[in-house]
Amino acid sequence: MISSKIRLVILLTGCLSFCFTAYAQPSAKDGVLDLRQNDLDGEVELNGEWQFYWQQFVNPAAIPAKSDVRVQFPFLWNGYLLNGHKLPSFGYASYVLTIVMPKHTAPLRMSVPDVYCAYRLYLNGKLIASNGNATQGPDGFRAHWQYRAVDLPANTDTLRLVLHVSNFVHYRGGVKSPLALGPKAPMELARQRSEAIDLLLTGCLFMGGLFFLGLYIFGNRDKAVLMFSLYAIVYSYRIIGTDNYVLHSLFPDLNWYVAVRLEYMSLFAGIGIFGLYCRYLYPADSNKKVIAAITIVCFVFTGISLFFPAYYFSQLVNPFLVVMVFCLVYVPYLYIKAWRLKRPGSIYSLASSLALMGVFAISLLHYWNIVPQLQLLSFIGYISFFFLQSLVLSHRVSFVLTRARHEAEQGLVAKSEFLSTMSHEIRTPLNSVIGIGHLLLENDPRPDQQAQLQTMIFSANNLLGIVNDILDYNKIEAGMVTFENIPTDLPAIARNIVNSLATIAQDKAIDLRLNIDSELDFMVNADPTRIAQVLTNLVHNAIKFTNTGEVLVTLGLKKRSETELTVRFGVRDTGIGISLKNQALIFDRFTQADSSTSRSFGGTGLGLAISKRLLELQDSQLHLESEEGKGAYFYFDQIFAPGGQSLMVAAPAGQAPANPAAFSGLSILLVEDNILNVMVVQTFLKRRGAVIDVAGNGQEALAMLDTSKHRLILMDLHMPVMDGYEAARRIRAKGITIPIIALTANLPQDIQDEVHAAGIDDIVVKPFLPDELYRKVLHYVS
Ligand code: ADP
């Protein structure tokens, strides 16, 4: 089987040989092109031996004396050795050719490309085309480059062409591209197609360049992206403003002296910019000095093209070929290196340089008149080149974005870890503050001390609320919130909230009322903690922002079916209300309706943001109706699945009041390293008559545990030497089933899986109220 590379070579050779054969053309001899054997059904280039008259404009109307000089058309005269003298660039001359035509032809057309740098073309004595003003001296001379096409009279047996050319501006003089003769319709179509391809390619490159420029300006400021955009824009000019000169056909008045500068500048600057592009694309792999040398040459040449006359800068093309050939070797070398070093997107760079090589090969072969222009193939090559380069950049941009996202995600993880550590650290001492506050309250303080203690506990609880809010918001943002779906008694939740906030309302002399739909007599499947959190927040706000009047909490059944219950939760107050402008703001984090709010009412501005997000995560929306000064109504509808039980038979949720007698003589092992916490828990429990042994860490606990005596273990989780999880695991490994309750400053939902896996039965979250601890302990020992 032939390898794919060999197959490619065969294919290419096949294509080229086809091109060569297709390109075999008749040739003029001794100033005469005999086309009698040619039926002219395809385009014929008028190449071969033309008569040449140096420094003469022969009379087109008369048959001139034969010139001694024959030149191979197309013919540039500069540097040509005539009578022992090298011809200069500046001067004028006539080219003459006689064409003997076939008998019958279809309507014909002759195409005349641009020459250096002005001409007049006569056919059988009549002027048929001209560019600029061809003169015999610099006076009145005007250069112009534009493609022209002339329709020829049918059935003429002889065509005598006289071409007057003059040049007083360019380093080259004479004719570089062939004139062509052929059937009108296909030639017209070919030209239209060629212009269309140029326009299309220009549009693609220009828009691509603008796109990448936008990406650079508004995006990542990657210099490789900037250079590529500039390169594409500059190169787009070259497609339309050189070779076929489509731009000059579109704008026939385009000033030659401007256009020629742009043509050369775009060539030099284009390569320089491309060098910089490669440099920024692969900074570690490209040689700084080599790129610097290329860029300097390119930009010096660009400068010369801008400021010097065309005669000088038009000579720079030949030395510049050296730079181009060097780039043709260096750039693929660089791309191969980048590819071997596995730089992102480098495989596309490599493929693109192959495409560019193809384009250069075609234009070189065409330059040497070996193949025709093969414009479509070049077009495909260019498009592939720019497309592949865009892929390199897209790959690079998305690589940077992926890395940035990864870093951001890591940052988010670090932030949430930091916040949970901080909140843990803050909650632990708060436990002592609140615990000791409660202990002191139980010690018969003086009335003034009692008021101070209550303020202290209130402030500590506030602080705890803030810490919890920040932690919660952080978790919502990090997408780490999960919801429970367990049978829940919604009216009980509402009653509990109203009861727990009743004292605050009473203190402000506000009427706090609860109105529950009598039809709401079913348990539903829901997350009771989150519902309580949202509702508490709304009721708490309503009380906070109401100075007179009432707060009404409502639970209404909006819709009921076999499978779904829609419940509307509402909190209406007669407080300060919220202006329309602020209604849009208060759901954002850390935003309060008015900056004086936090001074007069306290708060962080997180509560509503959290409530809103929590509801959204459960497909519900928090709504607000309010008018400034006339109170506010917050409400949301939530859809639940029935929880199976009627509330009439529902078991009361483990809220049995603590029975003080049950503690008497109860032996508990307290495992805790923080002495203040030891003091708080010990004092709470000893007051009820429990007997407490204290271990400072897990290892001590294992040594001290006496199953014949201890009825329960209260275990801190974070301790030196051996933590609570490990201690619990070892206790369970010994087959001991004594209840273990974890004391932790972490949020239960964060640790419950780990706690469960370690064999721990329950969690009490610090800071806790004495009653909470009593209830949990009693639940496990009774
Ligand atoms: P916080 O109460 O901690 O400031 P929230 O996010 O709960 O934060 O509330 C944001 C803001 O919305 C409050 O500061 C207040 O300006 C306004 N607001 C919330 N509830 C009410 C209400 N019932 N009446 C008037 N304004 C309210």
Side-chain angles (χ1 to χ4, degrees), residues 101 177 197 370 377 392 603 607 723:
M101 297 290 284
S177 313
I197 288 177
I370 298 176
L377 215 58
V392 177
D723 66 17

Side-chain angles (χ1 to χ4, degrees), residues 422-649:
M422 278 304 288
S423 91
H424 182 270
E425 293 310 309
I426 294 171
R427 288 150 69 99
T428 307
L430 268 182
N431 186 40
S432 313
V433 174
I434 297 173
I436 293 172
H438 281 286
L439 287 179
L440 290 174
L441 270 183
E442 288 184 15
N443 274 350
D444 253 348
R446 292 196 310 265
D448 59 325
Q449 285 173 331
Q450 195 172 358
Q452 286 161 0
L453 280 172
Q454 257 150 4
T455 313
M456 187 189 84
I457 292 174
F458 177 78
S459 305
N461 275 324
N462 251 354
L463 180 57
L464 183 67
I466 293 171
V467 171
N468 285 346
D469 272 1
I470 292 178
L471 195 66
D472 239 359
Y473 192 82
N474 188 45
K475 278 181 57 181
I476 293 175
E477 277 207 325
M480 281 160 53
V481 186
T482 48
F483 293 93
E484 278 187 307
N485 199 23
I486 52 171
T488 304
D489 179 351
L490 296 178
I493 292 179
R495 269 193 297 272
N496 282 344
I497 292 170
V498 168
N499 286 343
S500 66
L501 296 174
T503 353
I504 314 179
Q506 264 162 27
D507 289 349
K508 292 186 78 176
I510 297 166
D511 209 4
L512 174 59
R513 293 195 297 124
L514 174 63
N515 191 345
I516 298 175
D517 198 331
S518 57
E519 283 186 56
L520 203 61
D521 54 359
F522 265 91
M523 297 276 263
V524 294
N525 280 327
D527 184 332
T529 324
R530 294 305 184 180
I531 290 177
Q533 184 177 0
V534 173
L535 214 51
T536 307
N537 182 36
L538 296 181
V539 181
H540 196 256
N541 271 351
I543 300 173
K544 192 157 78 170
F545 295 106
T546 304
N547 295 324
T548 52
E550 65 160 19
V551 171
L552 174 64
V553 183
T554 51
L555 253 66
L557 187 60
K558 269 193 76 186
K559 242 198 270 165
R560 179 179 190 166
S561 73
E562 285 287 301
T563 51
E564 270 183 10
L565 294 159
T566 308
V567 179
R568 170 161 294 185
F569 299 80
V571 179
R572 191 187 292 278
D573 67 55
T574 55
I576 61 172
I578 305 158
S579 70
L580 223 72
K581 186 178 106 223
N582 287 332
Q583 288 184 20
L585 299 176
I586 53 169
F587 295 103
D588 290 339
R589 63 183 175 156
F590 302 120
T591 314
Q592 298 185 319
D594 147 7
S595 58
S596 63
T597 311
S598 58
R599 262 173 277 136
S600 38
F601 298 98
T604 53
L606 265 180
L608 285 180
I610 293 175
S611 304
K612 181 171 182 273
R613 305 280 191 287
L614 282 178
L615 289 175
E616 280 169 356
L617 289 173
Q618 299 175 91
D619 298 324
S620 173
Q621 287 288 328
L622 182 55
H623 300 280
L624 163 64
E625 287 167 9
S626 177
E627 222 179 295
E628 206 168 0
K630 291 196 178 158
Y633 176 45
F634 284 90
Y635 65 94
F636 60 94
D637 295 336
Q638 227 180 319
I639 300 171
F640 303 102
Q645 270 171 305
S646 158
L647 284 180
M648 302 306 154
V649 294

Side-chain angles (χ1 to χ4, degrees), residues 639-701:
I639 300 171
F640 303 102
Q645 270 171 305
S646 158
L647 284 180
M648 302 306 154
V649 294
Q655 296 279 319
N659 171 13
F663 282 90
S664 163
L666 181 69
S667 175
I668 293 175
L669 177 61
L670 172 64
V671 194
E672 168 69 88
D673 62 319
N674 182 312
I675 339 167
L676 285 174
N677 281 341
V678 169
M679 190 182 101
V680 172
V681 179
Q682 226 176 357
T683 320
F684 278 171
L685 294 171
K686 274 189 175 166
R687 262 204 196 147
R688 296 283 162 119
V691 182
I692 310 293
D693 290 329
V694 181
N697 59 53
Q699 209 164 42
E700 281 182 25

Side-chain angles (χ1 to χ4, degrees), residues 230-290:
L230 294 181
Y231 178 68
I233 290 170
V234 167
Y235 210 88
S236 69
Y237 178 80
R238 284 199 64 73
I239 303 289
I240 200 174
T242 71
D243 281 342
N244 280 325
Y245 295 109
V246 178
L247 190 70
H248 302 57
S249 299
L250 291 176
F251 302 102
D253 295 333
L254 190 70
N255 186 311
W256 182 87
Y257 300 87
V258 173
V260 77
R261 278 186 207 286
L262 286 176
E263 177 172 340
Y264 283 80
M265 283 166 65
S266 60
L267 172 68
F268 301 140
I271 301 283
I273 293 170
F274 194 74
L276 287 177
Y277 166 61
C278 293
R279 166 101 199 110
Y280 290 122
L281 196 59
Y282 301 120
D285 311 327
S286 54
N287 186 315
K288 223 175 172 175
K289 285 186 186 147
V290 169

